[in-house]
Amino acid sequence: MKPLLALLASAALLGGCATYELTGAGRTAMTDLGYSVELPQNWVRLSSDSKRVVVTRDGFGLQRIMITRADAKDAFPKIKKQADDKLLASELAELQIAELKAGGGQLANLTVVENLPAKVGGMTGFRLRIRFLNDDGLAFDQVWCGVLDKDRYYLISFHAPELYYFDKYLPDFDRTLASFKLS
C-alpha cells in the first residue's frame, strides 16, 4: 500500500510541474541540446527537464524512451567519473553499467544481456541490453545506447517489461535511435 501511495503522490507532484504533449510525425529539433530526432508518432512526450526528453506510448511504467545529454564531466555522477574522449566505446559502456548498478534498488542486481559497439548519431558508441527483476519478480529489459561527442555525453534508452511490451515497442526505439543526429 505504501508504494502505491508514494507513486500517486509522485504523479500528483509531477502533474503540477510537467507538461505532456502528443508526438507528431517528423523530426524534432532539440537545438539547445545539440541533436535532432524523430520521436515515435502518437506517443506522449513529458516536458519536465531541460537535458532530457522522455516519451511513452501506454505509460511510463510500461514503456519509455528517454534521451539525455550530460556534460562529459558530469556523465557518471553516482560513481564520480567523467567521460573522456580518450575512452573507447566499450569503456564508456562499462562505466554506464557501473553507474546503473550504483543507483541501487532493482538495478543493483542487473544482468548484462548484450554489450556491443553501435552507431549513435553517426558516431561509434555502445549498445547495452540489461535485464532486472522488479520487487514483484517481473523482468524488465532496458537498452542503453551512448556516445561521447566532444564534451557531451548522450544516452538514448528504452525501458519496458520483458513480457509483451519490450518486443512490441523495441522497433519504435530502434527507429528513434536510427534517426538520432548530432548537430
Side-chain angles (χ1 to χ4, degrees):
M1 184 65 172
K2 285 184 183 181
L4 179 60
L5 291 175
L7 180 64
L8 292 174
S10 297
L13 287 173
L14 282 176
C17 55
T19 60
Y20 302 91
E21 62 183 271
L22 198 60
T23 59
R27 181 162 291 280
T28 301
M30 305 300 294
T31 310
D32 54 332
L33 295 177
Y35 66 87
S36 66
V37 68
E38 290 180 33
L39 298 171
Q41 191 171 359
N42 296 322
W43 283 43
V44 176
R45 178 176 169 192
L46 170 67
S47 301
S48 65
D49 188 317
S50 63
K51 293 185 178 182
R52 179 176 34 202
V53 172
V54 185
V55 294
T56 184
R57 175 78 174 104
D58 301 310
F60 295 102
L62 295 176
Q63 82 283 96
R64 68 178 169 267
I65 296 172
M66 183 169 59
I67 304 170
T68 307
R69 185 197 80 182
D71 292 332
K73 63 182 175 57
D74 301 322
F76 308 103
K78 292 179 180 98
I79 60 172
K80 297 177 176 52
K81 299 278 185 179
Q82 296 181 13
D84 182 305
D85 61 358
K86 294 177 181 77
L87 293 172
L88 299 172
S90 59
E91 294 170 315
L92 277 176
E94 291 301 322
L95 288 171
Q96 186 61 46
I97 292 167
E99 181 74 8
L100 291 168
K101 286 182 175 184
Q106 299 158 347
L107 289 177
N109 296 314
L110 66 85
T111 301
V112 177
V113 177
E114 176 182 82
N115 184 350
L116 301 169
K119 288 290 183 190
V120 179
M123 300 178 65
T124 300
F126 65 85
R127 181 182 178 108
L128 294 172
R129 181 171 173 179
I130 65 166
R131 182 170 296 137
F132 64 93
L133 299 177
N134 73 1
D135 293 336
D136 295 321
L138 179 62
F140 279 82
D141 279 14
Q142 292 182 346
V143 176
W144 292 85
C145 299
V147 69
L148 182 65
D149 180 36
K150 300 176 188 92
D151 60 347
R152 302 278 190 244
Y153 181 54
Y154 294 90
L155 275 174
I156 301 106
S157 63
F158 174 58
H159 172 99
E162 181 186 22
L163 184 65
Y164 182 73
Y165 288 95
F166 187 82
D167 288 337
K168 181 172 182 171
Y169 293 107
L170 183 61
D172 288 344
F173 170 76
D174 287 334
R175 282 189 293 278
T176 300
L177 177 65
S179 77
F180 181 80
K181 303 288 183 232
L182 296 169
S183 47

